[in-house]
Amino acid sequence: MRHYYAEVMGNGCPVIFLPAGGFTGEEGRSLAEALRDDFEVHLLDLPGFGRSEGIEQIVSSEQLADWVNDYVVTHRLGPVLVMAHSLGGAVGLAFAMHYPKQVERLVLLDQGHKAFPRVPLREYGVFGLTVPILSGLYRLFGPRLVRKIETKVISDEGTSPVTVEQVKAFCAQTGLTERNEIRRALNDPAKFGRGGLNLLFGFYHLDVPQLMRSLQVPTLLIYGDFVGLDDKEARVTKSAMMDLQRHELPITYIRMTGGHFVHWNPAFPIEQVRQFLQVEKVSCLS
Protein backbone atom coordinates (compact mmCIF):
# COMPACT_ATOMS: atom_id res chain seq x y z
CA MET A 1 0.00 0.00 0.00
CA ARG A 2 1.32 3.43 -0.93
CA HIS A 3 2.04 5.98 1.77
CA TYR A 4 0.24 9.29 1.32
CA TYR A 5 0.44 12.44 3.39
CA ALA A 6 -2.60 14.69 3.57
CA GLU A 7 -4.02 17.24 5.96
CA VAL A 8 -7.83 17.20 6.08
CA MET A 9 -9.88 20.30 6.85
CA GLY A 10 -13.62 20.90 7.02
CA ASN A 11 -16.79 18.88 6.64
CA GLY A 12 -18.90 17.96 3.64
CA CYS A 13 -18.21 16.65 0.18
CA PRO A 14 -14.57 15.57 -0.27
CA VAL A 15 -12.27 17.83 -2.28
CA ILE A 16 -8.78 16.66 -3.25
CA PHE A 17 -6.29 19.55 -3.49
CA LEU A 18 -3.09 18.83 -5.46
CA PRO A 19 -0.31 21.44 -5.19
CA ALA A 20 2.32 22.78 -7.56
CA GLY A 21 5.78 21.23 -7.78
CA GLY A 22 8.00 22.38 -4.94
CA PHE A 23 5.03 22.91 -2.60
CA THR A 24 3.28 20.67 -0.11
CA GLY A 25 -0.48 20.58 0.34
CA GLU A 26 0.03 23.68 2.52
CA GLU A 27 -0.17 25.66 -0.72
CA GLY A 28 -3.95 25.14 -0.71
CA ARG A 29 -4.59 25.94 2.96
CA SER A 30 -6.24 29.32 2.33
CA LEU A 31 -8.63 27.65 -0.14
CA ALA A 32 -9.42 24.92 2.38
CA GLU A 33 -10.06 27.51 5.09
CA ALA A 34 -12.47 29.37 2.81
CA LEU A 35 -14.34 26.19 1.84
CA ARG A 36 -14.25 24.24 5.12
CA ASP A 37 -17.86 24.94 6.09
CA ASP A 38 -19.12 23.17 2.96
CA PHE A 39 -16.36 20.76 1.98
CA GLU A 40 -13.87 18.30 3.45
CA VAL A 41 -10.62 19.38 1.78
CA HIS A 42 -7.72 16.92 1.56
CA LEU A 43 -4.45 18.86 1.17
CA LEU A 44 -2.36 16.15 -0.43
CA ASP A 45 1.43 16.12 -0.90
CA LEU A 46 2.46 14.96 -4.39
CA PRO A 47 4.41 11.68 -4.79
CA GLY A 48 8.11 12.22 -4.16
CA PHE A 49 7.54 15.79 -2.98
CA GLY A 50 6.93 16.50 0.67
CA ARG A 51 5.77 13.57 2.76
CA SER A 52 4.02 11.32 0.22
CA GLU A 53 5.85 8.24 -1.03
CA GLY A 54 7.22 8.61 -4.56
CA ILE A 55 6.47 6.52 -7.63
CA GLU A 56 9.53 4.34 -8.23
CA GLN A 57 9.12 3.83 -11.97
CA ILE A 58 8.69 5.73 -15.22
CA VAL A 59 5.57 7.85 -14.76
CA SER A 60 2.73 7.97 -17.30
CA SER A 61 -0.63 9.73 -17.16
CA GLU A 62 -2.22 6.38 -16.25
CA GLN A 63 0.08 5.97 -13.26
CA LEU A 64 -0.63 9.51 -12.07
CA ALA A 65 -4.34 8.76 -12.32
CA ASP A 66 -3.88 5.47 -10.45
CA TRP A 67 -1.97 7.28 -7.70
CA VAL A 68 -4.87 9.64 -6.99
CA ASN A 69 -7.50 6.92 -7.41
CA ASP A 70 -5.75 4.65 -4.90
CA TYR A 71 -6.00 7.44 -2.31
CA VAL A 72 -9.69 8.00 -3.08
CA VAL A 73 -10.51 4.27 -2.92
CA THR A 74 -8.40 3.59 0.19
CA HIS A 75 -10.14 6.39 2.09
CA ARG A 76 -13.58 5.42 0.71
CA LEU A 77 -14.25 8.93 -0.55
CA GLY A 78 -16.36 7.90 -3.53
CA PRO A 79 -16.62 10.30 -6.46
CA VAL A 80 -14.70 13.41 -5.41
CA LEU A 81 -14.22 17.04 -6.35
CA VAL A 82 -10.68 17.95 -7.43
CA MET A 83 -8.92 21.30 -7.19
CA ALA A 84 -5.35 21.44 -8.45
CA HIS A 85 -2.58 23.88 -9.40
CA SER A 86 0.29 23.67 -11.89
CA LEU A 87 2.04 20.26 -11.62
CA GLY A 88 -0.77 19.13 -9.34
CA GLY A 89 -3.19 20.28 -12.03
CA ALA A 90 -1.58 17.89 -14.51
CA VAL A 91 -1.99 15.07 -11.99
CA GLY A 92 -5.63 16.01 -11.38
CA LEU A 93 -6.26 16.27 -15.11
CA ALA A 94 -4.84 12.77 -15.66
CA PHE A 95 -7.11 11.45 -12.88
CA ALA A 96 -10.19 13.08 -14.41
CA MET A 97 -9.34 11.79 -17.87
CA HIS A 98 -8.71 8.16 -16.85
CA TYR A 99 -11.30 7.96 -14.04
CA PRO A 100 -14.12 10.29 -15.11
CA LYS A 101 -16.67 8.46 -12.94
CA GLN A 102 -14.53 9.15 -9.87
CA VAL A 103 -14.49 12.92 -10.42
CA GLU A 104 -17.63 14.98 -9.91
CA ARG A 105 -16.03 18.29 -10.87
CA LEU A 106 -12.54 19.59 -11.56
CA VAL A 107 -11.08 23.03 -10.80
CA LEU A 108 -7.80 23.72 -12.60
CA LEU A 109 -5.66 26.59 -11.36
CA ASP A 110 -3.59 27.85 -14.31
CA GLN A 111 -3.07 24.40 -15.80
CA GLY A 112 -4.23 22.48 -18.86
CA HIS A 113 -4.38 25.19 -21.50
CA LYS A 114 -0.66 25.42 -22.29
CA ALA A 115 1.92 22.79 -23.18
CA PHE A 116 4.90 22.50 -20.84
CA PRO A 117 7.90 24.25 -22.49
CA ARG A 118 10.59 22.01 -23.94
CA VAL A 119 13.26 24.14 -22.26
CA PRO A 120 11.59 25.11 -18.96
CA LEU A 121 13.73 28.06 -17.88
CA ARG A 122 10.84 29.85 -16.15
CA GLU A 123 9.91 26.74 -14.18
CA TYR A 124 13.36 25.33 -13.36
CA GLY A 125 15.78 28.25 -13.79
CA VAL A 126 19.21 27.40 -15.24
CA PHE A 127 18.53 23.71 -14.53
CA GLY A 128 15.89 23.94 -17.25
CA LEU A 129 18.65 24.00 -19.86
CA THR A 130 19.63 20.45 -18.87
CA VAL A 131 16.10 19.03 -18.80
CA PRO A 132 15.87 18.04 -22.51
CA ILE A 133 19.21 16.20 -22.25
CA LEU A 134 18.37 14.51 -18.96
CA SER A 135 14.95 13.62 -20.34
CA GLY A 136 16.55 11.82 -23.29
CA LEU A 137 18.84 9.91 -20.94
CA TYR A 138 15.85 9.11 -18.75
CA ARG A 139 14.08 7.46 -21.70
CA LEU A 140 17.16 5.28 -22.19
CA PHE A 141 17.99 4.41 -18.58
CA GLY A 142 14.76 5.11 -16.70
CA PRO A 143 14.69 4.78 -12.91
CA ARG A 144 18.34 3.70 -12.80
CA LEU A 145 19.38 7.19 -13.87
CA VAL A 146 16.93 8.73 -11.41
CA ARG A 147 18.34 6.76 -8.48
CA LYS A 148 21.86 7.93 -9.29
CA ILE A 149 20.82 11.57 -9.48
CA GLU A 150 18.65 11.35 -6.37
CA THR A 151 21.50 9.98 -4.24
CA LYS A 152 23.36 13.23 -4.99
CA VAL A 153 20.53 15.72 -4.49
CA ILE A 154 18.38 14.26 -1.68
CA SER A 155 19.31 15.66 1.69
CA ASP A 156 18.03 14.98 5.20
CA GLU A 157 18.77 18.54 6.24
CA GLY A 158 15.85 20.83 7.03
CA THR A 159 15.22 24.11 5.28
CA SER A 160 15.73 27.56 6.73
CA PRO A 161 12.75 29.89 7.13
CA VAL A 162 12.29 32.24 4.19
CA THR A 163 13.46 35.78 4.70
CA VAL A 164 11.43 38.94 4.16
CA GLU A 165 13.58 39.65 1.10
CA GLN A 166 12.87 36.21 -0.39
CA VAL A 167 9.12 36.68 0.02
CA LYS A 168 9.34 40.13 -1.58
CA ALA A 169 11.36 38.70 -4.49
CA PHE A 170 8.89 35.85 -5.05
CA CYS A 171 5.91 38.20 -5.01
CA ALA A 172 7.61 40.68 -7.35
CA GLN A 173 8.45 37.89 -9.81
CA THR A 174 4.95 36.42 -9.76
CA GLY A 175 3.01 39.69 -9.64
CA LEU A 176 1.49 39.00 -6.23
CA THR A 177 0.73 41.14 -3.20
CA GLU A 178 2.60 39.98 -0.11
CA ARG A 179 0.29 37.93 2.10
CA ASN A 180 0.70 35.66 5.12
CA GLU A 181 -0.58 32.62 3.20
CA ILE A 182 2.26 33.02 0.69
CA ARG A 183 4.90 33.23 3.41
CA ARG A 184 3.33 30.19 5.11
CA ALA A 185 3.54 28.08 1.96
CA LEU A 186 7.08 29.22 1.17
CA ASN A 187 8.09 28.26 4.69
CA ASP A 188 6.78 24.72 4.09
CA PRO A 189 8.48 23.70 0.82
CA ALA A 190 8.08 20.15 -0.44
CA LYS A 191 11.13 18.15 0.51
CA PHE A 192 12.50 16.46 -2.60
CA GLY A 193 12.37 12.68 -2.03
CA ARG A 194 12.66 9.31 -3.75
CA GLY A 195 10.61 9.26 -6.92
CA GLY A 196 10.42 13.03 -7.19
CA LEU A 197 12.41 13.04 -10.42
CA ASN A 198 10.15 10.35 -11.87
CA LEU A 199 7.24 12.72 -11.31
CA LEU A 200 9.07 15.67 -12.89
CA PHE A 201 10.13 13.70 -15.96
CA GLY A 202 6.66 12.19 -16.26
CA PHE A 203 5.16 15.67 -16.20
CA TYR A 204 7.68 16.86 -18.79
CA HIS A 205 6.52 14.16 -21.23
CA LEU A 206 2.77 14.63 -20.67
CA ASP A 207 0.75 16.08 -23.53
CA VAL A 208 -1.36 18.22 -21.19
CA PRO A 209 -3.42 19.98 -23.91
CA GLN A 210 -4.34 16.58 -25.35
CA LEU A 211 -5.51 15.43 -21.92
CA MET A 212 -7.54 18.63 -21.71
CA ARG A 213 -9.19 17.99 -25.07
CA SER A 214 -10.22 14.52 -23.83
CA LEU A 215 -12.06 15.86 -20.77
CA GLN A 216 -15.55 14.55 -20.00
CA VAL A 217 -15.78 16.01 -16.49
CA PRO A 218 -17.31 19.48 -15.85
CA THR A 219 -14.27 21.71 -15.36
CA LEU A 220 -13.56 25.25 -14.17
CA LEU A 221 -10.30 26.64 -15.56
CA ILE A 222 -9.02 29.75 -13.77
CA TYR A 223 -5.96 31.07 -15.57
CA GLY A 224 -3.59 34.01 -15.39
CA ASP A 225 -3.34 36.16 -18.53
CA PHE A 226 0.15 37.52 -17.67
CA VAL A 227 -0.84 40.89 -19.14
CA GLY A 228 1.46 43.57 -17.73
CA LEU A 229 3.65 40.90 -16.11
CA ASP A 230 5.28 39.01 -18.98
CA ASP A 231 4.52 40.03 -22.58
CA LYS A 232 5.80 36.79 -24.14
CA GLU A 233 3.85 34.59 -21.74
CA ALA A 234 0.76 36.76 -22.29
CA ARG A 235 0.95 36.08 -26.04
CA VAL A 236 1.48 32.35 -25.49
CA THR A 237 -1.48 32.25 -23.08
CA LYS A 238 -3.80 34.14 -25.44
CA SER A 239 -2.92 31.84 -28.35
CA ALA A 240 -3.36 28.69 -26.22
CA MET A 241 -6.76 29.85 -24.97
CA MET A 242 -7.98 30.64 -28.48
CA ASP A 243 -6.97 27.16 -29.59
CA LEU A 244 -8.58 25.43 -26.59
CA GLN A 245 -11.85 27.33 -26.91
CA ARG A 246 -12.26 26.14 -30.49
CA HIS A 247 -13.09 22.71 -29.07
CA GLU A 248 -16.46 21.91 -27.55
CA LEU A 249 -15.38 20.97 -24.04
CA PRO A 250 -17.20 20.90 -20.67
CA ILE A 251 -15.07 23.81 -19.44
CA THR A 252 -15.97 27.15 -17.87
CA TYR A 253 -13.21 29.73 -18.23
CA ILE A 254 -12.25 32.52 -15.83
CA ARG A 255 -9.42 34.83 -16.86
CA MET A 256 -7.50 36.67 -14.16
CA THR A 257 -5.12 39.57 -14.57
CA GLY A 258 -1.77 38.37 -13.32
CA GLY A 259 0.42 35.31 -13.31
CA HIS A 260 0.59 31.64 -12.47
CA PHE A 261 -0.45 31.65 -8.79
CA VAL A 262 -4.06 32.62 -9.45
CA HIS A 263 -5.32 31.33 -6.08
CA TRP A 264 -3.09 33.84 -4.26
CA ASN A 265 -4.46 36.74 -6.25
CA PRO A 266 -6.60 38.96 -3.95
CA ALA A 267 -9.26 38.95 -6.69
CA PHE A 268 -9.51 35.13 -6.75
CA PRO A 269 -13.22 34.25 -7.30
CA ILE A 270 -13.66 31.94 -4.31
CA GLU A 271 -17.47 32.29 -4.30
CA GLN A 272 -17.68 31.24 -7.96
CA VAL A 273 -15.52 28.25 -7.09
CA ARG A 274 -17.80 27.40 -4.17
CA GLN A 275 -20.90 27.60 -6.37
CA PHE A 276 -19.26 25.49 -9.07
CA LEU A 277 -18.39 22.78 -6.56
CA GLN A 278 -21.76 22.88 -4.78
CA VAL A 279 -23.69 21.89 -7.89
CA GLU A 280 -22.92 18.24 -7.13
CA LYS A 281 -23.28 18.51 -3.36
CA VAL A 282 -26.53 16.54 -3.16
CA SER A 283 -25.19 13.66 -5.23
CA CYS A 284 -21.98 13.30 -3.20
CA LEU A 285 -23.90 13.15 0.07
CA SER A 286 -26.56 10.71 -1.13
Side-chain angles (χ1 to χ4, degrees), residues 60-227:
S60 64
S61 65
E62 290 88 349
Q63 285 160 334
L64 292 176
D66 289 345
W67 183 83
V68 183
N69 189 60
D70 286 351
Y71 179 84
V72 171
V73 171
T74 299
H75 291 81
R76 299 181 180 178
L77 299 179
V80 296
L81 303 157
V82 177
M83 186 182 308
H85 176 231
S86 195
L87 172 54
V91 177
L93 185 55
F95 176 47
M97 202 275 279
H98 291 289
Y99 291 93
K101 293 183 179 179
Q102 286 282 64
V103 182
E104 294 278 10
R105 293 209 156 191
L106 172 65
V107 178
L108 292 174
L109 305 172
D110 206 57
Q111 180 58 279
H113 52 304
K114 292 184 285 190
F116 194 67
R118 293 301 87 193
V119 183
L121 286 172
R122 169 188 293 276
E123 292 77 7
Y124 296 160
V126 176
F127 176 69
L129 293 171
T130 68
V131 169
I133 297 171
L134 289 174
S135 178
L137 293 172
Y138 179 72
R139 284 188 176 275
L140 289 174
F141 300 107
R144 284 184 297 163
L145 173 70
V146 165
R147 284 192 289 271
K148 288 185 178 180
I149 297 175
E150 285 178 340
T151 57
K152 297 182 182 298
V153 300
I154 292 176
S155 171
D156 292 328
E157 296 179 5
T159 56
S160 302
V162 294
T163 64
V164 172
E165 290 73 21
Q166 287 172 322
V167 175
K168 286 182 180 295
F170 175 84
C171 290
Q173 183 181 13
T174 54
L176 295 169
T177 303
E178 293 178 44
R179 300 167 68 178
N180 287 336
E181 63 189 296
I182 298 175
R183 174 182 293 278
R184 210 164 51 202
L186 293 176
N187 266 320
D188 187 29
K191 183 179 177 182
F192 185 77
R194 299 287 178 190
L197 277 177
N198 284 325
L199 177 60
L200 288 182
F201 284 129
F203 176 42
Y204 182 74
H205 288 292
L206 280 183
D207 187 344
V208 174
Q210 179 57 45
L211 290 177
M212 199 74 161
R213 291 190 292 269
S214 302
L215 267 178
Q216 303 173 42
V217 173
T219 298
L220 177 63
L221 170 59
I222 305 174
Y223 68 97
D225 63 10
F226 287 86
V227 172

